[in-house]
Amino acid sequence: MVGTASSPAEAKTEAGEPAPQGATMHGVAFERTPAVRIGIIGVGGRGSGLLANLLGCEGVTVTAVCDTDKGRAERAATRITRAGQPAPALYTSGEKDYENLCKRDDLHFVIVATPWDWHVPMAVAAMTSGKHVGVEVPVATTIADCWKLVDVSEKTRRHCMILENCCYGYNELLALNMVKAGALGDLTHAEAAYIHDLRGVLFDQTGEGSWRRAAHIRRDGDLYPTHGLGPVARYLDIHNGDRFDVLVSLSSLEQSLTAHQQKALAAGDPRRKEKYKCGDMNNAILKTAMGRTVLLQHDVVSPRPYSRLNLISGTKGAFADYPARVFIDGESPHEWETIDRFKAKYEHPLWTRVGELARKNGGHGGMDFLMLYRLVECLHQGIAPDMDVYDAAAWSAPGPLSDLSVAKGGAPQKFPDFTRGKWKERQTV
C-alpha cells in the first residue's frame, strides 16, 4: 500500500532514521566468558598481526581460521599449534566459506580482518549466527551499511565492535585520562588525522594495494577516518553526552598518486592508465551537538611524515601529538612541554598494568595487543566493550559523508544519530 513501509527494516521513525530493530546495545555487557574461543576471518598482513597478539593473551583459544588463500590459513594454523593451542578448523573453500565459520557453535567472538568491501557481510553473518564480532576499520563505507550494522546488532543482541587500535596507544590513553580528570578544562576543539605515506603500499600487488587503491579511483573524500577520529571521539564523550551532528568537507586536487604512478610503474604496466579521483588531502570539519569542532584530515599519498594530529583543546589547556606535548594555562612556561612530567599522574591504568606485556607482544608499539587484551578482559569479566556498534558506525560515517560533501562543493551533511537519542544517557566508564 502506498505510504506504508514494506518491512520492519524499511520502517522509519519521525526523525527519518530506521526504526529500532531491538533495544539499544548502548552499555550492554558481554556474557561472562571465562574461556574465550575466537574465530578469525582473514589472516593476511593485518589478520596475522592480530593473531600473534591474541596468542599472547591468556584465557583465549583461536578455534577457527578462514582465508581464501589456503597457504595463509595453514601458516596461521602452524602459529597457533606452536603456541600450544589445538589445531584450528580451517575454512578455505571460496569467498563464502566464512559463513560456515560463523555457524560454528563453539565460538564466542569473530574477528574480521579483510578488505573493506567484505566487512559488513561478514559482520552480519557473525551476528546473525549468534556471535559477537570485531571488525577492522572502517567497518563500513556507506551510511546504509552503517545502519545495517546497527540494526543487526540491536536485533541479534550481539555486539559489533570496531577494532580501532589507536584508542589504546600510550599517548591517547594518557590524554584521555587528562581529559577525564579535568586537566584541560571544558573541551572546545579537537584535531584528528590519518596522514601516512602509503604510495608504495597502494601499488603492492600482493598486499593491500590489490584492493585499497581502487577506492582512490571511485571516491573523493576521507577514505580512512577512524584512526584519528576514534581517540578524539573518546575525549569528547561522543555517545556519552555528546554526538557528531554535522560535517563539511573539501578535497585538494589529486596530484601525488598520479606522479608516483608515472614514476614507479614500468612502461606497459596497465596500472599506468588508471585515473585517480581522490584528492591528495581531504579536510573535514565536524561539529558536535554541544558545539565543539573537530578538524579531520586524510592524506595517504603525499611525501610527508606520519601524523594523526591527536589534539584536544579546552579552557585550561591542550594536548597535542607528533610529537606529544602539553600546555596548561598558568603552569606551562608559555610554550609546549613534553608529556614526561604528566606521566606519573595521568598514565592510564591499562598501560600501568599491562604496558610491559603490551610492548613485548608489540603491534604498533603495543596498542594492538592492548586492544585485544582489553577485549578479552571485557569478555572474561562480563562487562560492556569499550566501543560498540554506535561508535563503529559514527566513526566510519565521515567516509561517505565527506564523499557527499565534496561532491556538493563542501555542502554540510547531517550526521545520522545512530544511537536514536541514547547518546544523552551517560554511561560509567
Side-chain angles (χ1 to χ4, degrees):
M1 181 166 54
V2 176
T4 302
S6 59
S7 71
E10 295 173 5
K12 303 286 184 179
T13 67
E14 290 183 3
E17 64 201 20
Q21 297 298 291
T24 183
M25 292 299 290
H26 195 48
V28 173
F30 284 124
E31 306 85 357
R32 187 173 180 275
T33 311
V36 177
R37 295 186 297 273
I38 289 180
I40 300 181
I41 305 174
V43 283
R46 184 59 181 150
S48 61
L50 294 175
L51 172 61
N53 293 137
L54 278 173
L55 294 175
C57 296
E58 293 185 3
V60 58
T61 303
V62 181
T63 305
V65 172
C66 177
D67 200 290
T68 54
D69 185 318
K70 185 177 181 180
R72 280 202 298 252
E74 290 174 342
R75 288 191 290 275
T78 298
R79 295 180 74 176
I80 291 167
T81 55
R82 285 178 178 171
Q85 296 190 12
L90 300 185
Y91 295 84
T92 61
S93 300
E95 290 185 340
K96 293 297 186 73
D97 211 15
Y98 69 87
E99 295 175 347
N100 294 316
L101 179 148
C102 292
K103 291 174 183 176
R104 293 177 63 95
D105 60 7
D106 61 347
L107 297 179
H108 300 111
F109 198 93
V110 172
I111 286 177
V112 175
T114 60
W116 301 337
D117 289 348
W118 285 100
H119 287 182
V120 173
M122 289 174 172
V124 168
M127 290 187 284
T128 55
S129 297
K131 316 302 187 297
H132 300 293
V133 64
V135 186
E136 265 300 324
V137 301
V139 297
T141 58
T142 70
I143 297 300
D145 275 346
C146 287
W147 274 118
K148 180 181 290 187
L149 293 176
V150 169
D151 288 344
V152 173
S153 179
E154 291 178 345
K155 184 175 182 179
T156 61
R157 315 309 299 155
R158 299 294 89 184
H159 277 298
C160 179
M161 175 182 166
I162 184 170
L163 295 177
E164 185 40 79
N165 57 334
C166 294
C167 290
Y168 294 90
Y170 183 92
N171 293 348
E172 286 83 355
L173 285 178
L174 183 142
L176 181 64
N177 255 11
M178 294 188 74
V179 165
K180 292 192 176 300
L184 305 182
D186 295 327
L187 304 181
T188 57
H189 176 71
E191 297 179 9
Y194 187 64
I195 297 171
H196 189 185
D197 184 357
L198 295 179
R199 290 173 296 169
V201 171
L202 291 172
F203 285 102
D204 178 4
Q205 299 197 79
T206 61
E208 293 183 17
S210 61
W211 54 268
R212 191 165 179 168
R213 192 177 67 259
H216 290 259
I217 298 172
R218 301 192 311 264
R219 297 174 53 195
D220 187 9
D222 189 329
L223 307 181
Y224 204 64
T226 75
H227 278 341
L229 189 59
V232 159
R234 280 161 58 87
Y235 306 154
L236 295 175
D237 271 342
I238 297 301
H239 299 158
N240 199 34
D242 201 358
R243 75 173 186 91
F244 297 130
D245 183 53
V246 67
L247 172 149
V248 297
S249 183
L250 291 169
S251 290
S252 75
L253 76 165
E254 187 285 316
Q255 194 84 355
S256 296
L257 194 57
T258 294
H260 184 79
Q261 170 202 59
Q262 297 302 308
K263 178 181 178 181
L265 301 183
D269 190 316
R271 293 173 296 170
R272 288 176 64 95
K273 297 180 180 179
E274 293 176 348
K275 302 297 181 182
Y276 305 116
K277 181 178 181 181
C278 192
D280 289 11
M281 171 66 81
N282 176 264
N283 295 281
I285 300 291
L286 289 65
K287 193 167 186 177
T288 74
M290 290 182 63
R292 298 149 164 171
T293 54
V294 180
L295 168 67
L296 179 64
Q297 295 186 321
H298 172 273
D299 183 347
V300 296
V301 295
S302 297
R304 56 182 291 188
Y306 183 96
S307 178
R308 294 196 301 275
L309 294 184
N310 191 29
L311 180 145
I312 184 68
S313 180
T315 56
K316 294 182 180 179
F319 175 99
D321 217 336
Y322 301 92
R325 55 208 190 274
V326 174
F327 181 86
I328 303 296
D329 190 30
E331 294 184 23
S332 299
H334 302 291
E335 59 186 20
W336 290 106
E337 298 183 68
T338 70
I339 64 172
D340 291 345
R341 79 175 178 93
F342 300 93
K343 291 179 179 179
K345 185 174 182 180
Y346 296 112
E347 181 177 82
H348 195 276
L350 271 175
W351 276 98
T352 303
R353 286 194 291 118
V354 196
E356 183 176 347
L357 185 62
R359 293 182 182 98
K360 177 182 177 182
N361 279 275
H364 296 95
M367 65 171 65
D368 294 4
F369 174 82
L370 205 62
M371 173 183 69
L372 294 176
Y373 176 94
R374 175 60 178 165
L375 165 63
V376 172
E377 182 175 72
C378 291
L379 286 159
H380 283 168
Q381 295 180 10
I383 59 179
D386 295 337
M387 292 97 74
D388 58 27
V389 71
Y390 309 109
D391 301 316
W395 301 357
S396 299
L401 291 178
S402 66
D403 293 352
L404 290 169
S405 184
V406 168
K408 296 180 179 180
Q413 303 297 309
K414 291 291 288 185
F415 256 86
D417 177 8
F418 295 106
T419 74
R420 302 182 176 94
K422 296 295 182 180
W423 61 272
K424 300 175 185 177
E425 301 175 10
R426 297 187 67 83
Q427 305 290 320
T428 301
V429 293

